[in-house]
Amino acid sequence: MVKRGSGSGVGEGPNMQAFVKAERGPGGEIRTVPEPRPAEDEVRVALRASSICGTDVHIWEWNAWAESRIGRTPMIFGHELSGEVVEVGRRVTTLAVGDHVSAETHIADGTCYQCRNGKMHICANVQVLGVDRDGVFAEYSVLPAVNAWRNDPKLDPALAAIQEPLGNAVHALLPEDNIEDLAGRDVLVTGAGPIGLLAIAVARTLGARRVFATEVNPLRIALAKRMGADRVIDPRGEEGAAVKTILEETEGRGVDVVVEMSGHPSALTLGFEALTPGGRVSLLGLFDRPATLDVDASLIFKAARVHGIFGRRMFTTWFQVRGLLEKPEFRAKMGEIITHRVPIHDLPKAMELIESQQAAKVSLEPRW
Amino acid sequence: MVKRGSGSGVGEGPNMQAFVKAERGPGGEIRTVPEPRPAEDEVRVALRASSICGTDVHIWEWNAWAESRIGRTPMIFGHELSGEVVEVGRRVTTLAVGDHVSAETHIADGTCYQCRNGKMHICANVQVLGVDRDGVFAEYSVLPAVNAWRNDPKLDPALAAIQEPLGNAVHALLPEDNIEDLAGRDVLVTGAGPIGLLAIAVARTLGARRVFATEVNPLRIALAKRMGADRVIDPRGEEGAAVKTILEETEGRGVDVVVEMSGHPSALTLGFEALTPGGRVSLLGLFDRPATLDVDASLIFKAARVHGIFGRRMFTTWFQVRGLLEKPEFRAKMGEIITHRVPIHDLPKAMELIESQQAAKVSLEPRW
Amino acid sequence: MVKRGSGSGVGEGPNMQAFVKAERGPGGEIRTVPEPRPAEDEVRVALRASSICGTDVHIWEWNAWAESRIGRTPMIFGHELSGEVVEVGRRVTTLAVGDHVSAETHIADGTCYQCRNGKMHICANVQVLGVDRDGVFAEYSVLPAVNAWRNDPKLDPALAAIQEPLGNAVHALLPEDNIEDLAGRDVLVTGAGPIGLLAIAVARTLGARRVFATEVNPLRIALAKRMGADRVIDPRGEEGAAVKTILEETEGRGVDVVVEMSGHPSALTLGFEALTPGGRVSLLGLFDRPATLDVDASLIFKAARVHGIFGRRMFTTWFQVRGLLEKPEFRAKMGEIITHRVPIHDLPKAMELIESQQAAKVSLEPRW
Amino acid sequence: MVKRGSGSGVGEGPNMQAFVKAERGPGGEIRTVPEPRPAEDEVRVALRASSICGTDVHIWEWNAWAESRIGRTPMIFGHELSGEVVEVGRRVTTLAVGDHVSAETHIADGTCYQCRNGKMHICANVQVLGVDRDGVFAEYSVLPAVNAWRNDPKLDPALAAIQEPLGNAVHALLPEDNIEDLAGRDVLVTGAGPIGLLAIAVARTLGARRVFATEVNPLRIALAKRMGADRVIDPRGEEGAAVKTILEETEGRGVDVVVEMSGHPSALTLGFEALTPGGRVSLLGLFDRPATLDVDASLIFKAARVHGIFGRRMFTTWFQVRGLLEKPEFRAKMGEIITHRVPIHDLPKAMELIESQQAAKVSLEPRW
């Protein structure tokens, strides 16, 4: 039986199919489990589409992070969601059965220091869907009503589900209220994995001048160009060549904004070297181990500003994402990032596609 | 003889043709005057293109503002400039003969309180080209080297000249470092004169969601749509109808950003009514007389933020403008805003086109 | 019987004393009413101290605003609260019986556009304590747990209660995240009523250079000086004299920040004239009728920024207020602003003191 | 003979005394050298007081940085200046003989990308007084008029000279326009050397709630307390003890702002551990070698913002500094930081006092 996180009532109702991390080790399996029931301020959502995040891959592979972070198994994982509300808790007034929704996957307590200072996205007591409580790789899932984001019913469910990582990309590019330096400015995205690709498309749509990317995988290089990167550089070339190229194409100045999406220490170094003095760097890709940095040259003499990026501003980025998705050209790009659409029963195969970097974003359809 | 403002050396050299405000009254005329010589930190520029600003119209018509503001005549007016450097002062190191340049028309002293706090664009001792000292409607003009903005030589001179008002539009949309709320947000531009049209195009290019405009002139309405306005509303309809439309198309919220470009008191009222609480308003259009405002409802209960817009941030907006002009689609729009290209000897006819609202932006070619 | 606003459960329990607006007209009276019971996410609080806000005076006097804004009578009014939690709803986890709390009086829905964009203080569906639902001039009151701010039990209850208007003053001085221009800068507070006095003390404590105030009432003038104003100017003198004084004492520049607390149109004019170009103005005092403003000179040519101020940022300002109140010198000033401490049964007399401007802030003790 | 940096004319006039780095190695000596003459946009200043910066110590000791950075010897070093204008260049209009001035020591070109975007303090072609051109440890020095900051003649010359490092401290605490989070917030200063001590005093004066410091030297610990630190922690205690103390005294949250002034890698680690999620860190102390950082835990999961601090915002911080120095209590603290006032001919002894950490700030009097 699947244990659910605090706050979710458990019902004695009918059963459903769900992808479950059954054991504390690699892999996962489809199981028949009880349908969840919403608490009084929650909604129950029927899955229309999901997609696979790097976090899901870590849980699937059961890396060191998963071992230390996941509290209990069996657990339903997955968190990128497009669904239809099928049941609402007694106190829910803002949603109705039939609404199409996506999920903000960070469940904030609303009362900690961070929440009370406009930073719910880094709530001190955050509960993450599919990590701290049962997720969405299931016929049904429950989430607090306040975390359900209502979608235009006409929006492609696969696109609706990737609004969550798209929010990460937007947040990395616009980390605070006080950022306007994309307009006509130069941007470097290091690492063109799914969120890096999203960031390239967003930077382009928000009026950046030149958008550079670094990437080694041919599929991602091709996609980065289609997202609008002016130049995609393989960073494995001659030492200093990538930075030299970027400096040459920015009149010797360097870029104004770096968005680090790779988690490679060499990308960190490259990013700071390519940054114009007074520029800013957003760090989203996890490094997994301590990194060594020339703080004097990279940060102090450069008067750089660095933003650690975690989650998405709630719910500022959701409005920004919604606005972007209303643009047909932008939607078309999003459709290209979803390189594969597979039935959820093929999740193991989908994981392989991602691990071997044959896929960018993989969308999952609720076929069991 | 033409008197020049402080800072401009006057030489005994050859003569040139210039459009001169000869008398303190309406109109102007072409005269032969001595060529100006640059001071040691100035450059002399040969005209490649100019264009007509509303300020030039006021000087031409000699309205109350012109009477009170213009210090002396005869004076060469005009300030939107695209030209080629033909002579550099002794201390100028950043420009060379042959460079293509545009002019930041606000000459700041660099030492006043505003300049020393990052606000050169509102220098307490500003000298405006074509207002406080001789302008650019002439075969040659001189300006401080620091006010000359070097252009890509391949840029159409007519577009190069309108970078200056384009900077006004960008500054109105991005008045400070701390503004990022165009991304995916809704914008209303009240008044689709030349700068309003530029603002519509800029908002579109910087990722705004819906862009609304109000306008009554059919030519401008058509252009506003071509610039990318989703909806252009004639504000003269039934009372409240315009606001009602905007609220309906923004899920009842109102727009996040209003850019006031008309100088009409009714547009001010409409703008605040259409604004979402917590939104912001940029005021650029001059009202010419005191306006009456329901401060409680418009500003306080709405928790609105209002920015008075004067000039362009120096030189932040120039970099933003340059970045925008590198986009082919944006350049194409700029080309459409320039509805007429006429020889400068037809300046009187050009003024008529503008006064009768048959033209948006009129570009002037150096044919005497 | 007293009707309570939505969200408050009504019990059949014991009775209590409360100050009630019984009729839709001037005045009020003490009545015996049922004790309120908290809903499951609310707390019940026993009054330790309250104080009188201008809003309470409007309700007492039953001015036009009160007639149009107050939905139903009888209603318990008052909202500035210091109390002790005596009962907690079933779902409340962050507060316990015995906690000392104050009230954030704006009850936000948490789901509207403003709430979801970090602007809960201007919630589209706000419910105000003592205006839209029963207030705190009573032995007991109920409020949502999230609106209860836990205090240091050693804090003087009278000071704990004025944290709410102190938050208004802080918010007026620091209206957004992007404001740092108090440090070493010059400030003008127009109007030294209670919140104006608080603003003077806050500006002083946050490192402003010169703090100017305008005021006509002798008691307030004296208090303004004690709060730390360098100069308090009677604005009724010779036309332009006040502005001239301010310019002279700021090296001709004008002040960097104006905080308008009076609601007088002449103060609005004076404030903009005394403002340095590029400065900012916060508007908190209500004008009650449309005001006429020279938008060109005041806003556009000055490149001014204006912030409409409503409520307090939730809960950023509460943390700021708490930090200020930990400073003994600041607490001593707050004690001086409370010119009178009276039993609540003397509320009519307290209202007279305020209306005749013999009092600054009046604190109420729970003696019936 | 002393070579002077570009921009300074060299005259054939009378001689003066100056402290000169004569050889590329440790030490320095007083020499008789020609008096410098100002270029046409410069002023010549007679020394009234100077003081010793860490940079001067590096030049004195001739460390690796000095060897790589100093272009030529002999050179007059020193840059913290209080002086009287004795001669003005032909084009200087804003200063007159007899004015009392201090020096902004970063001479910016005004035309590079950084200067044109409001970041003169990180000019791409910066020339530093006493590093790239002759400095102020001399009877006379010359500097561009725009770099001369006019002082109140009544200001103690020793305080006037330390405005420059005081500007560093202010800039570290208020690194950008968008920072207001000192008001009522908690601050940690790691390292209570001269600039750390200044930062403690500034944080206190700008309304911070708790100010923590880490330091090991007894003299500095005592001074840190006198500057207003609530608690000064010796970081060499039990591992984690310092962070534990800070968390305990901030209700478990950690501090909102860290200002790193020590250049010790362990302080970097401590600072990030003591930071509340969403807080910010300013880095001013140089590390001299690459530092290793747990980027995931310190930056990304903490959603931290980091500002590299170089120089002072020109001239925003100078206005802030001036405003602070008008407060008698703050001036008194500044007087305490100057632990020694010695004749400049005792510079070798002063260097010893600093190297052995027996002094905080040492002021130099023009006695040769």
Side-chain angles (χ1 to χ4, degrees):
Chain A
M1 194 198 103
V2 177
K3 289 179 185 148
R4 281 172 199 83
S6 63
S8 297
V10 178
E12 287 292 316
N15 293 329
M16 67 171 186
Q17 301 300 98
F19 231 106
V20 169
K21 168 66 67 175
E23 308 289 338
R24 298 187 74 81
E29 61 190 75
I30 294 181
R31 284 201 182 174
T32 301
V33 299
E35 281 186 10
R37 298 295 311 279
E40 60 191 10
D41 56 358
E42 295 185 332
V43 293
R44 184 160 63 100
V45 176
L47 187 70
R48 298 185 72 221
S50 185
S51 36
I52 300 174
C53 170
T55 298
D56 301 321
V57 179
H58 296 328
I59 295 174
W60 181 261
E61 297 177 338
W62 202 252
N63 71 356
W65 170 86
E67 174 62 33
S68 69
R69 183 70 164 77
I70 302 294
R72 46 190 163 178
T73 52
M75 185 196 69
I76 301 169
F77 60 117
H79 57 269
E80 299 185 6
L81 172 71
S82 166
E84 186 174 337
V85 174
V86 294
E87 184 181 2
V88 301
R90 186 175 59 82
R91 291 161 52 92
V92 174
T93 58
T94 54
L95 289 166
V97 169
D99 281 349
H100 287 214
V101 297
S102 290
E104 164 54 58
T105 58
H106 286 200
I107 301 169
D109 72 359
T111 59
C112 72
Y113 188 60
Q114 279 63 40
C115 284
R116 289 209 149 178
N117 280 287
K119 298 176 182 172
M120 287 171 69
H121 63 292
I122 46 170
C123 170
N125 305 304
V126 69
Q127 288 243 324
V128 181
L129 218 57
V131 172
D132 297 306
R133 49 184 275 171
D134 277 339
V136 306
F137 288 170
E139 289 187 84
Y140 298 104
S141 54
V142 294
L143 68 158
V146 77
N147 283 63
W149 176 261
R150 187 160 34 214
N151 292 319
D152 180 345
K154 293 191 294 290
L155 182 63
D156 173 359
L159 296 193
I162 67 162
Q163 287 179 99
E164 198 260 18
L166 183 51
N168 292 113
V170 168
H171 182 38
L173 282 161
L174 301 172
E176 310 201 7
D177 280 332
N178 54 306
I179 300 299
E180 55 72 56
D181 48 5
L182 294 180
R185 302 292 181 166
D186 299 319
V187 177
L188 166 63
V189 178
T190 52
I195 304 187
L197 291 168
L198 293 169
I200 294 167
V202 172
R204 190 86 284 163
T205 305
L206 296 183
R209 193 178 76 131
R210 304 250 166 99
V211 179
F212 300 91
T214 57
E215 180 53 63
V216 300
N217 174 281
L219 168 68
R220 292 173 169 185
I221 289 174
L223 279 169
K225 288 177 182 164
R226 294 188 66 81
M227 291 305 108
D230 295 288
R231 182 172 291 272
V232 187
I233 303 168
D234 187 327
R236 295 168 308 182
E238 199 184 334
E239 190 174 329
V243 171
K244 189 158 166 280
T245 299
I246 292 169
L247 291 175
E248 277 170 10
E249 300 193 6
T250 54
E251 294 87 54
R253 295 194 304 259
V255 295
D256 301 278
V257 177
V258 172
V259 181
E260 206 306 289
M261 298 294 194
S262 75
H264 284 125
S266 63
L268 195 63
T269 304
L270 186 156
F272 278 108
E273 286 177 1
L275 186 73
T276 200
R280 67 177 167 93
V281 176
S282 285
L283 301 177
L284 187 146
L286 294 177
F287 288 83
D288 291 341
R289 77 202 65 172
T292 298
L293 191 64
D294 184 341
V295 174
D296 294 2
S298 298
L299 274 163
I300 298 179
F301 294 141
K302 274 237 160 136
R305 183 168 38 160
V306 181
H307 294 89
I309 300 298
F310 183 76
R312 296 148 298 282
R313 288 208 295 156
M314 294 160 65
F315 282 82
T316 298
T317 55
W318 285 89
F319 288 98
Q320 294 169 325
V321 161
R322 182 166 75 186
L324 291 170
L325 281 175
E326 291 192 10
K327 300 174 189 296
E329 191 186 341
F330 187 81
R331 277 204 306 278
K333 285 185 177 179
M334 295 301 101
E336 292 194 63
I337 286 183
I338 300 172
T339 51
H340 299 76
R341 299 178 183 231
V342 305
I344 198 165
H345 64 70
D346 280 342
L347 189 63
K349 203 169 81 184
M351 288 290 178
E352 275 178 43
L353 287 167
I354 292 171
E355 289 169 331
S356 60
Q357 299 203 353
Q358 296 173 66
K361 201 78 194 170
V362 179
S363 184
L364 301 172
E365 296 166 357
R367 289 187 279 143
W368 299 92
Chain B
M1 195 198 103
V2 177
K3 287 179 187 147
R4 283 173 197 83
S6 62
S8 298
V10 178
E12 286 292 317
N15 292 330
M16 69 172 184
Q17 300 300 98
F19 231 105
V20 169
K21 166 68 65 173
E23 308 288 337
R24 298 187 75 79
E29 63 191 70
I30 292 180
R31 284 204 182 172
T32 301
V33 299
E35 281 186 13
R37 299 294 312 279
E40 60 191 10
D41 56 358
E42 294 185 332
V43 294
R44 184 160 65 100
V45 176
L47 188 69
R48 299 184 72 223
S50 185
S51 36
I52 301 174
C53 170
T55 299
D56 301 320
V57 180
H58 296 329
I59 295 173
W60 181 261
E61 297 177 338
W62 202 252
N63 71 357
W65 170 85
E67 174 62 33
S68 70
R69 183 68 166 77
I70 304 293
R72 44 192 163 176
T73 50
M75 185 195 69
I76 301 169
F77 60 118
H79 57 270
E80 299 185 7
L81 172 69
S82 166
E84 185 174 338
V85 175
V86 293
E87 184 180 3
V88 301
R90 186 175 59 83
R91 291 162 52 93
V92 174
T93 59
T94 54
L95 289 167
V97 169
D99 282 349
H100 287 215
V101 297
S102 290
E104 165 53 58
T105 58
H106 286 200
I107 301 169
D109 72 0
T111 57
C112 73
Y113 187 61
Q114 279 64 40
C115 284
R116 290 210 146 177
N117 281 286
K119 298 177 182 173
M120 287 169 68
H121 63 291
I122 47 171
C123 169
N125 305 306
V126 69
Q127 287 242 325
V128 181
L129 217 58
V131 173
D132 297 305
R133 49 185 273 172
D134 277 337
V136 306
F137 288 170
E139 289 186 83
Y140 298 103
S141 53
V142 294
L143 68 159
V146 76
N147 283 63
W149 176 261
R150 187 159 34 212
N151 292 319
D152 180 345
K154 294 191 293 288
L155 182 63
D156 173 359
L159 297 193
I162 68 162
Q163 287 179 101
E164 199 259 17
L166 182 50
N168 291 114
V170 168
H171 182 39
L173 283 162
L174 301 172
E176 311 201 7
D177 280 331
N178 54 306
I179 299 299
E180 54 73 57
D181 49 5
L182 294 180
R185 303 291 181 167
D186 300 319
V187 176
L188 166 64
V189 178
T190 52
I195 303 186
L197 292 168
L198 294 169
I200 294 167
V202 172
R204 191 86 283 163
T205 304
L206 296 183
R209 192 177 77 132
R210 304 248 166 99
V211 179
F212 300 91
T214 57
E215 181 52 65
V216 300
N217 174 282
L219 168 68
R220 291 172 168 187
I221 289 173
L223 278 169
K225 288 177 182 165
R226 296 187 64 79
M227 291 304 109
D230 295 288
R231 183 171 291 275
V232 185
I233 304 168
D234 187 326
R236 295 169 306 183
E238 200 184 332
E239 188 173 331
V243 172
K244 189 157 166 283
T245 299
I246 293 169
L247 290 176
E248 278 169 9
E249 301 193 5
T250 54
E251 293 87 52
R253 295 194 303 261
V255 296
D256 301 278
V257 178
V258 173
V259 181
E260 205 307 290
M261 298 293 195
S262 74
H264 283 125
S266 63
L268 196 62
T269 304
L270 185 156
F272 278 108
E273 287 177 2
L275 186 72
T276 200
R280 67 177 168 90
V281 177
S282 285
L283 301 178
L284 188 148
L286 294 177
F287 288 83
D288 291 340
R289 77 201 67 171
T292 298
L293 191 63
D294 185 339
V295 175
D296 294 2
S298 298
L299 274 163
I300 298 178
F301 294 140
K302 275 238 160 136
R305 183 167 38 158
V306 181
H307 294 90
I309 300 298
F310 183 76
R312 294 148 300 280
R313 288 207 295 156
M314 292 160 66
F315 282 82
T316 297
T317 56
W318 284 90
F319 288 98
Q320 294 168 326
V321 162
R322 182 167 74 184
L324 291 170
L325 280 175
E326 291 191 10
K327 300 173 189 295
E329 190 184 342
F330 187 81
R331 277 204 304 279
K333 284 185 177 179
M334 295 302 100
E336 292 195 62
I337 286 183
I338 300 173
T339 51
H340 298 76
R341 298 178 183 234
V342 304
I344 198 165
H345 64 69
D346 279 343
L347 189 63
K349 202 169 79 183
M351 288 289 178
E352 274 179 43
L353 287 168
I354 292 170
E355 290 168 331
S356 60
Q357 299 202 353
Q358 297 173 65
K361 200 76 194 171
V362 179
S363 183
L364 301 173
E365 297 165 356
R367 290 187 278 142
W368 300 92
Chain C
M1 196 198 103
V2 178
K3 287 178 186 147
R4 284 175 197 81
S6 63
S8 298
V10 178
E12 286 292 317
N15 292 329
M16 67 171 186
Q17 301 300 97
F19 231 105
V20 169
K21 168 65 66 174
E23 308 288 338
R24 300 187 73 80
E29 62 192 72
I30 294 181
R31 282 200 183 176
T32 301
V33 299
E35 281 185 12
R37 297 293 313 279
E40 59 192 9
D41 55 358
E42 294 184 332
V43 293
R44 182 159 66 98
V45 176
L47 187 69
R48 296 184 75 222
S50 184
S51 36
I52 302 174
C53 170
T55 299
D56 301 321
V57 179
H58 296 329
I59 295 174
W60 181 261
E61 296 177 339
W62 202 253
N63 71 356
W65 171 84
E67 173 64 33
S68 70
R69 182 69 165 76
I70 304 294
R72 45 193 160 174
T73 50
M75 184 195 69
I76 302 168
F77 61 117
H79 57 270
E80 299 185 9
L81 171 70
S82 166
E84 185 174 336
V85 175
V86 293
E87 185 180 1
V88 301
R90 187 175 58 82
R91 292 163 50 94
V92 174
T93 59
T94 54
L95 289 166
V97 169
D99 282 348
H100 287 215
V101 297
S102 289
E104 164 53 60
T105 57
H106 286 200
I107 300 169
D109 73 359
T111 58
C112 72
Y113 187 61
Q114 278 65 39
C115 284
R116 289 210 148 179
N117 281 286
K119 299 176 182 173
M120 288 170 68
H121 63 292
I122 46 170
C123 169
N125 304 305
V126 69
Q127 287 242 325
V128 181
L129 217 58
V131 172
D132 297 306
R133 50 183 273 171
D134 277 338
V136 306
F137 288 169
E139 289 186 84
Y140 298 104
S141 55
V142 295
L143 67 159
V146 75
N147 283 63
W149 176 261
R150 189 161 33 215
N151 292 318
D152 180 344
K154 293 191 293 289
L155 184 63
D156 172 0
L159 297 194
I162 68 163
Q163 287 180 100
E164 199 260 15
L166 183 50
N168 292 113
V170 168
H171 182 39
L173 282 162
L174 302 172
E176 311 200 6
D177 280 330
N178 53 308
I179 300 299
E180 55 72 58
D181 50 4
L182 293 181
R185 303 290 182 167
D186 299 319
V187 176
L188 166 64
V189 177
T190 52
I195 303 186
L197 291 168
L198 294 169
I200 294 167
V202 172
R204 191 85 282 165
T205 305
L206 296 183
R209 193 177 75 132
R210 304 250 165 99
V211 179
F212 300 91
T214 57
E215 180 53 64
V216 301
N217 174 282
L219 168 68
R220 291 174 168 183
I221 289 174
L223 279 169
K225 288 177 183 166
R226 294 188 64 81
M227 292 303 108
D230 295 289
R231 184 171 290 276
V232 186
I233 304 168
D234 186 327
R236 295 168 307 183
E238 202 185 328
E239 190 173 331
V243 171
K244 189 157 165 283
T245 299
I246 292 169
L247 291 175
E248 277 169 9
E249 301 193 5
T250 54
E251 294 88 54
R253 297 194 303 258
V255 296
D256 301 278
V257 177
V258 173
V259 181
E260 206 307 287
M261 298 294 194
S262 74
H264 283 127
S266 64
L268 196 62
T269 305
L270 186 157
F272 278 108
E273 287 176 1
L275 186 72
T276 199
R280 66 180 168 89
V281 176
S282 285
L283 301 177
L284 187 147
L286 294 176
F287 289 83
D288 291 341
R289 76 203 66 172
T292 299
L293 191 64
D294 185 339
V295 175
D296 295 2
S298 298
L299 275 163
I300 298 178
F301 294 140
K302 275 242 160 133
R305 183 168 37 156
V306 181
H307 294 90
I309 301 298
F310 183 75
R312 293 149 300 281
R313 289 207 294 157
M314 290 160 67
F315 283 80
T316 297
T317 56
W318 285 89
F319 289 97
Q320 295 168 325
V321 162
R322 183 168 73 184
L324 291 170
L325 280 175
E326 291 191 9
K327 298 173 190 296
E329 191 185 340
F330 188 80
R331 277 203 306 278
K333 285 185 177 178
M334 295 301 100
E336 292 194 63
I337 287 183
I338 299 173
T339 52
H340 299 75
R341 297 177 183 233
V342 305
I344 199 166
H345 64 69
D346 280 343
L347 189 64
K349 202 169 81 184
M351 289 290 180
E352 274 179 43
L353 287 168
I354 292 170
E355 289 168 331
S356 60
Q357 298 203 351
Q358 298 175 66
K361 201 76 192 172
V362 179
S363 184
L364 301 172
E365 297 166 356
R367 289 187 278 143
W368 300 93
Chain D
M1 195 199 103
V2 178
K3 286 178 185 147
R4 285 175 196 81
S6 62
S8 297
V10 178
E12 288 292 316
N15 293 330
M16 68 172 183
Q17 301 298 99
F19 231 105
V20 169
K21 167 67 68 176
E23 308 289 337
R24 298 187 76 79
E29 61 191 75
I30 293 181
R31 284 201 183 174
T32 301
V33 300
E35 281 186 13
R37 297 294 313 279
E40 60 190 11
D41 55 359
E42 294 183 332
V43 293
R44 182 159 66 99
V45 175
L47 187 69
R48 297 185 72 223
S50 185
S51 36
I52 301 174
C53 171
T55 299
D56 302 320
V57 179
H58 295 330
I59 295 174
W60 181 261
E61 296 177 339
W62 203 252
N63 71 357
W65 171 84
E67 173 63 34
S68 70
R69 183 68 165 76
I70 304 293
R72 47 192 159 173
T73 51
M75 184 194 71
I76 301 169
F77 60 118
H79 57 270
E80 299 185 7
L81 172 71
S82 166
E84 185 174 337
V85 174
V86 294
E87 184 180 0
V88 301
R90 188 175 58 83
R91 290 161 54 92
V92 174
T93 59
T94 54
L95 289 167
V97 169
D99 281 349
H100 287 214
V101 297
S102 291
E104 165 51 59
T105 58
H106 286 200
I107 301 169
D109 73 358
T111 57
C112 72
Y113 187 60
Q114 277 65 39
C115 284
R116 289 210 149 177
N117 280 286
K119 299 175 183 173
M120 287 170 68
H121 63 293
I122 46 170
C123 169
N125 305 305
V126 69
Q127 287 243 323
V128 180
L129 216 57
V131 172
D132 297 306
R133 51 184 273 172
D134 276 338
V136 308
F137 288 169
E139 289 187 82
Y140 298 103
S141 55
V142 295
L143 67 159
V146 77
N147 283 62
W149 176 260
R150 187 160 33 213
N151 292 318
D152 181 344
K154 292 191 295 288
L155 183 62
D156 173 359
L159 297 193
I162 68 162
Q163 288 180 101
E164 199 261 18
L166 183 50
N168 292 113
V170 168
H171 182 39
L173 283 162
L174 301 172
E176 312 200 7
D177 280 333
N178 53 306
I179 300 298
E180 56 71 56
D181 48 6
L182 293 181
R185 302 291 180 167
D186 299 319
V187 176
L188 166 63
V189 178
T190 52
I195 304 186
L197 291 169
L198 294 168
I200 294 167
V202 172
R204 190 85 284 165
T205 305
L206 295 183
R209 192 177 74 132
R210 303 249 165 99
V211 178
F212 300 91
T214 56
E215 181 53 66
V216 300
N217 174 281
L219 169 69
R220 292 173 169 184
I221 290 173
L223 279 169
K225 288 176 182 165
R226 295 188 65 82
M227 292 303 109
D230 295 289
R231 184 172 290 274
V232 186
I233 303 169
D234 186 328
R236 295 168 308 182
E238 203 186 330
E239 190 175 329
V243 171
K244 190 158 165 281
T245 298
I246 293 169
L247 291 175
E248 277 169 11
E249 300 193 6
T250 54
E251 293 88 56
R253 296 193 305 258
V255 296
D256 301 279
V257 177
V258 173
V259 181
E260 206 306 287
M261 298 295 193
S262 74
H264 284 126
S266 63
L268 196 62
T269 304
L270 186 156
F272 278 109
E273 286 177 2
L275 186 73
T276 199
R280 66 177 168 92
V281 176
S282 285
L283 300 178
L284 186 146
L286 294 177
F287 289 83
D288 291 340
R289 76 203 67 171
T292 299
L293 191 64
D294 184 340
V295 175
D296 294 3
S298 298
L299 274 162
I300 299 179
F301 293 141
K302 274 239 160 135
R305 183 169 36 157
V306 181
H307 294 90
I309 300 299
F310 184 76
R312 294 148 300 280
R313 289 208 293 158
M314 291 160 65
F315 283 81
T316 297
T317 55
W318 285 90
F319 288 98
Q320 294 168 325
V321 162
R322 183 166 75 185
L324 291 170
L325 281 175
E326 293 192 10
K327 298 172 190 297
E329 191 185 342
F330 187 81
R331 277 204 306 277
K333 285 185 177 179
M334 294 302 100
E336 292 194 63
I337 286 183
I338 300 173
T339 51
H340 299 75
R341 298 180 181 229
V342 304
I344 199 165
H345 63 71
D346 280 343
L347 188 63
K349 201 169 80 183
M351 288 290 177
E352 274 178 45
L353 287 168
I354 293 170
E355 289 168 333
S356 60
Q357 299 204 351
Q358 296 175 65
K361 201 76 193 173
V362 179
S363 184
L364 301 173
E365 296 166 357
R367 289 187 279 142
W368 300 92

